[in-house]
Each structure stands twice: as C-alpha cells, then as structure tokens.
Amino acid sequence: MRVVYRIILVIIACLALAAGGLFVWFYTGIGLPKLSALKEYRAAQNTKIFSANGRLLTELHGEENREIISIEQIPKAMRDAVIAIEDSDFYHHSGINWKAVIRALWANIIKGSVVQGGSTIPQQYVKNAYVGTKRTLFRKIQEAHLAYQLSKKYSKNKILELYLNDIYFGQGCYGIYTAARKYFNKDPRDLGLSECAMLAGLINSPSYYDPYQRPQAVIERRNHVLKRMHRLGYISARELQSAQNEPLNVSQVVSTYTPPPAPYFCDYITKLLRRTYGDQKVYRGGLRVYTTIDLNIQEIAERTLLKYLKPESGPDAAIVAIDPRTGYIKAMVGGKNYYKSQFNVAAEGGRQAGSAFKVFVLTRAMADGISPETTYDASSPKIIRLPDGGKWVVRNYDGHGSGSMTIRTATIRSVNVVFAQLIMDVGPSRVADLAMKMGILREVESNPAIALGGLKNGVTPLDMASAYSTLANNGVHAIPRSIYKVTDADGNVIDEYQPETSTIIDTKVAARVNQILKQVVSSGTGRGAQIGRPQAGKTGTTEDHADAWFVGYTPDLVAAVWVGYPQGRIPMPGMCGGDLPATLWRVFVSQALKDVPPTDFPLPSEEVATSSPQETENETITVRICEDSGLLATPYCPKTRSKEFKRGEEPTTFCHIHTGVAETKVPDVVGMTEAQARVALSQAGYTTLVVKKPSQSVPAGLVMSQTPSAGTRYTPGNPVTIIVSSGTIEVVVPNVVGLTEAAAKAKITVKGLKPSISYVSGSPAGFVLSQSPGAGTVVGIGTTVELLVAR
C-alpha cells in the first residue's frame, strides 16, 4: 500500500513539475516568437493573382477596403456586443483564457487533433496578423504567447481597436468602418444597438451569415448576441426586447467599386487562399498565385449572359466551364451583374437540380448492367411504394404518358415516372454515393426524390460540371482545380497542384451513357443546345420553375448553365432547361471551342440502338412553338405561333404543353404605381410578384420593368414579376479637404459617390484643397464629387 501511495505521489510530482515547466517556458518565451520581432512583417508585399493567360487579375493586401478609426469612434454597444459573443472574459484575462484553454485542450486530447482553440480576442488578432489559421498544437502555443505579449504591451481598449479595425465582416469589408458603411450606410458612431449586435454576429462566419442571402439566419444570430449582452449585464431587458423586434434594415447602397476581371472567380480564389494559407500570408505575404482561368473563355461566358439577360430585371444565371481531362476551371460566372450581387451562385449557391440529376440514376443503372432498352410503365401519375410503407406520387412534367417506355427514351424525353421506378430498382443510396464519387461536392442524401433532383443541400454549377466531366473523360474523374501553382514574391514554389484523376466508372459504361445523352441533344429535350459537333448533355427543370439547367459536354469542355433567382425560389413561368439555359450553353460553348477541332466520344463495344423514341398516343393536340427554333414556346420566345401535332410527335417537351386554357396578352404596367399594376394584372387574370429596387431616375412606387414583358402571350393564373422603384438613396457628402488624393477618393467611393479629380498648382502637393459639393451636402447615390488637388 505504501508503494502504491509513493508511486501516486511521484506521478503527481512529475505532472506538477511538467506543468510548472510548461508555464515557465510559456511565460519566459524561450524558443517562442517575440511580438517586437514580428511587427515589421505586417508590411510585406501584396499577393498577386494571375490568369492562365498570365494576365494580372487582382492584388490582395491588408489595407484593401479598410479605414482605420480610433476606439473613440466605435460605439460602446459595438464593443460590448463583440466582447459578449467573442470573448466574455476579455477584461479579466491577460490575453489567454486559461479555463477555455484547458477545456479546449481536453477536447483536443479526446479527439486526437486540434478541434477547439479557446481563442480570446487578442489570440484572434495575432492569428490573423501574424500566425495564420493552420491548426497545430505548436501554432496554438505561439498564438497564445503572442496574445500574452500583446496584452502586456497594449491596453484593453487598444487591443479592441486593433481587432475591430482588422476583423473581416463579409462582403469584402475589413474593419468596422467599412462594415458599418456597407451594411447600414452609417458611420460606426451612429450605429444602433440592433445594428451593432448584427455586425458582431457576422464575425464567426461572415460567408454564412450574409444578410443579403440568409436574412433569417442573421436575425437569429443577432438575437443570440443580444441575449448574451443581456445575460452579461450590458443591456436591460427593455433594450433586449426592443432590439430583437427591429428588422435588419441593411443598406442597398450601389457600390462604385470597379471589380477585377472574372470577379466571381477572384472572390472564389480569395476565399480558397484564406482557408489554405490564412489571412497573414494572403494579405501580407506577397504570394504569386497562378490560376487555371482562361480569360478568353471567361469573357465569352460573361458576354453571353449580357447578351441574353436583362441586367436589372428578370432571372439571373451562372456558368462554370471545366476541362474534363485536367479538372482545370476555365470559366466561372457567378451571376449576370457583380455590381448588384457578389453572391457566387456558380460555386456557393445550393440549388435544386431537377432532371439534370437523372444522369446519375442512368449511370448507376448502366454500371449495374441494366440494358438501356429495358422498359417501364410510363403512365402518369404513378404511385411508388416505398420500403417504409409510404407512398410517393410521381407525375411527368407535362402530366401525360402511358404504355411502356425504354430507359433510353425516358432519358431523351426526361420522363419522371420511369426514373422514379428505376431509382427504386438500383437503390437511392447507391445513386447518391455514385453522384458524390463522380464530383458532386455536397452531401447527397439517400432519398428516392434525388432521381428528380429533389436534394436537401442542393448542388452548384461547379458540382454539376465536375460530375459530368467524369462522363466527358470516359469514366475518369479529375478533381476540379482553380490554382495550379503558388510561389513567394521571389518565385520560389510554395505549392504546385497537378491534375489529380481517378477512374470512377468503367469506360464501357461511360461510353453507353454518353451515347444516350448525345441523343438528348440530337432529338430530345436538349435540342436547343446543338452546336454541330459531337456533344452530350441533359436538361433540368424544377417543378416550381425556380431552377432551370443545361449541363452539357464535349470531350474537350464541360459547361453547366443555371438560370433562376439567387435570392430565393421565385418561379419563372414557362422557363425550362431546354429553353434559355440550352441557348446560353450553345452560344457560349460554340464560341469557346471555335478553334478546337471536333472529336467524338468512344463507342461502347456492343451495338448501340440509335432509333428515335416510339410513342403510343395518337390524339391530336395544339401547342405554341417558337418560330425561330421550332421548339415549344415560352414567354421568352420573341415570336410564336400555334400548330397541331399528333401526341408524341410534338416538339421537345421542355415547356408547358397547351392544356386548353386560353392564353392572353400580358398588359403593360411599366410606369404605373404598384397598386395600379396589381389591379391591372389581376383584371387580366395574373398574380403579381413584387421586387423593390432603388433608382436614380424612376420615382418611388412606380413600376420600372416587368417579366414577362407587355404583349407576351401567357396563361392566366401565372405570376408576373414587377420591379418597383424604392426611390433614390441619399447620402451625406463627407469632408475630404486636407486628405491625400488616395484617401479622399476612398472616402468618397465608400459613400457610393464618384470622385472626379482636377489638379492645380499649390501645396502641400498631393492633398485636396477643395471639394464640390461641399461636406454635409445631401445628394443621391452615384453623384460626382469634384476634388481640386494640389500638384
């Protein structure tokens, strides 16, 4: 017993000695970085990002979109909100919260890796400014030691000032000043309690808590911050209740910032670099980043959207193009108007895939050895019995269908009920697994509805282009790459990213699927995408017409095109994957491959049937077709006419078939008040969707545009979207006299105004001598401010 007791004492003594040694080492800092030695490193060179063509796309540096302000200019509510949600013991520790460190250390020991950090505000600051975001135990020790030094060197207020001027708030805003200007069009000192809490809530995950894309999530996060403030005694119960009841009221200020070439791609690269190397290296490290983007192809994609989409109204679109052999991203357009929205649908927008997801069910079936000539009952609606005893009612897109139909024909005509039966035969979980292996980056749930594109997490155009590239590359998947090399400022290679490929499906299976998807374009729902060379692809349209896709490929290029509204599920009556998305794909890819000789896909070893689908119905129907294409008409067709067909011989079913409801012309409501427009549309039999946007030229309350446009033949009962002016946004001209030219231009620009510079002899050289309009003048967004600068 005495021996055991002595052993325990020895172990305790050893642990105490080790802990004491660790604390002595930590506080003496032997072998750890010194804050004074690192201070000059913050002034390192800018990071430069280049296209595959060698053109400079953009530069990143620590002071971009940031204006440093003093702690006195930051309201107490803002400071309290940040402390409450990020570091409630801020005023009581010396840079390190040992209770949180011990709690995090225990979690890390349990998990076997660094999963928690227990970071205080000083630790967060030194991580961004000096250390970087890589999670290792030694890196965390360095971070903690520097935070301790920082707390010894500066007062709490100074540390908070450094932090709030450095931290990222999303939407390209670094520091509290630009965040307050961007989100509320206010100086920080004018922020209210609710606004301060919202900004504090963004810090944890600014890309997720985006008030323009996820307002409800941001409100919930803001209210959580407010509750923390109340719990810590910073605000009263009455203030809590009042602030929680306030709407977000984020500003819709139009930026005068000029984006770089391929702006959505540049944002995508910036986020990738920050995740990989940390803010320190990205904004102060002088990296040279060589990307895969081909600006010639990128510019074709951007021009295509500008040609076919209205910049200020109607649906948006996104395009991603990939070289299937290397996985290199050649073009990425996240929306039609970067000035209006910086949300990158191409890489971040989880949308429903519609029938474009049927390709993965088809591929799973072909890999299982099921013949494409296998038949299923095509009658609609159809009740599918589920394993759990439930029922799944499936309808074909046009509501019709009868008799037997082959898998090949069902793919070409995109018949829902056949694919609902097919996924039950091959297994939803196996389809989900194959889709992710082929390149879908988001998790795909095991649910029969995925056969028709019903996805919990949605997919992005980047996902779809990546997955379809596996078929374009004959079953070999190349991981999508946006960067192929990163060097330091002296050209020393830091990282090289070679193509990384793996065989996912047998080449014979890929060839069989490719032959079927070639027929989708030659004689099926994708006819609008024909470019006169070997190609394959698939259309996709959701049931509510809120998402429309065409994903197509040749052996040389894969492109995914999405059309919809990024802000939510807004129906686009009559819009289908074979309509505008197929047109955008055709125009883009035909130009992108103009100088590339056409090549064909390999044929499967067995004979492939290529006969056109046979139909079983003979009734005569009347449909409206587009005169220029001969395909079924939508509200987006410029000229249409009626024509009789036998059932089964009608043009490709990518739009609604006439159902006997008389179409009427949409009335012209542009220039009416919102109330007048609602009445006029209601009398014509339509419902109304209202979107409000600021305008410098149209008075508040008047309709600026409408979709479909006036005179379009359109079935009553469908919605008409009207864009209503919310009036001119006014701002106060700031005082820039006495500032340097660069500082004055930045201060004018962040207000949403346009600086215009004139020079005159005088001193001090480079400083603003006068301005017009003068400081304090109330003007509209976009007004030019004349600055007279001393030469």
Side-chain angles (χ1 to χ4, degrees), residues 16 56 318 329 500 640:
L56 178 65
I329 299 172
E500 186 176 343
T640 67

Side-chain angles (χ1 to χ4, degrees), residues 410-687:
T411 305
I412 295 168
R413 296 200 175 277
S414 199
V415 178
N416 292 343
V417 296
V418 171
F419 275 86
Q421 296 168 82
L422 184 58
I423 195 172
M424 298 306 298
D425 285 348
V426 300
S429 63
R430 299 176 69 240
V431 171
D433 180 65
L434 179 62
M436 290 187 285
K437 287 179 178 177
M438 287 177 66
I440 300 298
L441 302 177
R442 297 178 176 222
E443 182 179 359
V444 180
E445 66 274 18
S446 176
N447 186 322
I450 64 174
L452 310 181
L455 301 159
K456 180 180 179 182
N457 299 316
V459 290
T460 67
L462 177 58
D463 289 336
M464 297 298 280
S466 174
Y468 275 55
S469 72
T470 304
L471 295 169
N473 199 28
N474 304 312
V476 178
H477 177 63
I479 293 176
R481 296 285 194 211
S482 55
I483 298 171
Y484 66 85
K485 185 172 67 173
V486 178
T487 73
D488 62 18
D490 298 321
N492 300 309
V493 176
I494 297 174
D495 283 307
E496 281 190 287
Y497 299 94
Q498 298 296 330
E500 186 176 343
T501 61
S502 58
T503 300
I504 302 301
I505 52 180
D506 186 89
T507 55
K508 294 178 182 178
V509 173
R512 192 177 302 121
V513 174
N514 288 340
Q515 293 304 312
I516 297 172
L517 295 184
K518 283 177 68 175
Q519 289 181 268
V520 171
V521 179
S522 64
S523 59
T525 60
R527 293 213 314 258
Q530 292 175 3
I531 57 174
R533 62 193 295 159
Q535 64 182 113
K538 185 70 183 75
T539 55
T541 310
T542 56
E543 187 176 13
D544 59 358
H545 291 268
D547 296 286
W549 296 79
F550 186 81
V551 189
Y553 55 95
T554 73
D556 303 293
L557 192 68
V558 181
V561 177
W562 167 87
V563 174
Y565 288 87
Q567 60 267 39
R569 303 205 59 74
I570 300 175
M572 303 174 290
M575 178 69 77
C576 308
D579 183 26
L580 183 57
T583 299
L584 296 173
W585 192 95
R586 171 175 53 80
V587 173
F588 164 59
V589 175
S590 62
Q591 294 182 35
L593 296 179
K594 182 175 61 175
D595 299 322
V596 178
T599 55
D600 204 348
F601 302 100
L603 286 170
S605 56
E606 69 272 19
E607 182 180 353
V608 177
T610 58
S611 59
S612 300
Q614 299 299 313
E615 300 293 338
T616 60
E617 299 180 56
N618 296 312
E619 62 178 293
T620 300
I621 60 170
T622 301
V623 299
R624 296 198 65 79
I625 61 172
C626 288
E627 287 192 354
D628 59 348
S629 67
L631 302 176
L632 289 178
T634 76
Y636 302 90
C637 299
K639 293 183 180 179
T640 67
R641 60 187 175 87
S642 297
K643 188 175 180 180
E644 285 191 352
F645 292 90
K646 287 185 178 180
R647 171 70 68 187
E649 296 179 354
E650 73 272 14
T652 304
T653 307
F654 61 78
C655 299
H656 281 307
I657 291 178
H658 186 70
T659 58
V661 179
E663 292 180 333
T664 59
K665 290 185 178 181
V666 177
D668 186 358
V669 298
V670 174
M672 295 183 182
T673 65
E674 179 184 337
Q676 290 170 336
R678 286 180 179 274
V679 171
L681 292 171
S682 177
Q683 290 175 344
Y686 303 107
T687 58

Side-chain angles (χ1 to χ4, degrees), residues 61-108:
H61 53 90
E63 298 303 320
E64 184 170 339
N65 200 18
R66 177 186 285 116
E67 182 167 339
I68 305 298
I69 60 176
S70 67
I71 193 68
E72 289 77 15
Q73 295 173 277
I74 302 173
K76 185 176 183 300
M78 187 69 229
R79 290 175 266 167
D80 291 343
V82 170
I83 290 170
I85 198 63
E86 292 294 323
D87 187 0
S88 59
D89 289 327
F90 176 72
Y91 288 111
H92 307 294
H93 59 63
S94 58
I96 309 101
N97 185 337
W98 287 112
K99 290 187 295 184
V101 169
I102 293 170
R103 184 173 60 248
L105 181 61
W106 177 250
N108 297 337

Side-chain angles (χ1 to χ4, degrees), residues 338-419:
Y338 185 80
Y339 288 97
K340 179 181 175 183
S341 172
Q342 292 80 51
F343 181 64
N344 187 354
V345 180
E348 299 174 356
R351 306 295 301 202
Q352 295 301 298
S355 293
F357 216 80
K358 290 174 181 173
V359 166
F360 305 111
V361 185
L362 174 67
T363 305
R364 179 71 272 166
M366 297 301 100
D368 288 349
I370 298 175
S371 168
E373 311 314 320
T374 302
T375 60
Y376 285 87
D377 179 15
S379 59
S380 173
K382 190 168 192 63
I383 298 176
I384 308 292
R385 301 283 180 179
L386 300 177
D388 62 1
K391 296 179 181 179
W392 179 25
V393 180
V394 183
R395 292 176 173 82
N396 289 332
Y397 181 78
D398 60 3
H400 299 283
S402 65
S404 297
M405 182 177 289
T406 66
I407 294 173
R408 181 190 304 279
T409 301
T411 305
I412 295 168
R413 296 200 175 277
S414 199
V415 178
N416 292 343
V417 296
V418 171
F419 275 86

Side-chain angles (χ1 to χ4, degrees), residues 248-269:
L248 284 183
N249 286 330
V250 289
S251 172
Q252 299 294 328
V253 174
V254 179
S255 172
T256 56
Y257 162 70
T258 300
Y264 291 103
F265 180 76
C266 287
D267 285 354
Y268 175 75
I269 290 293

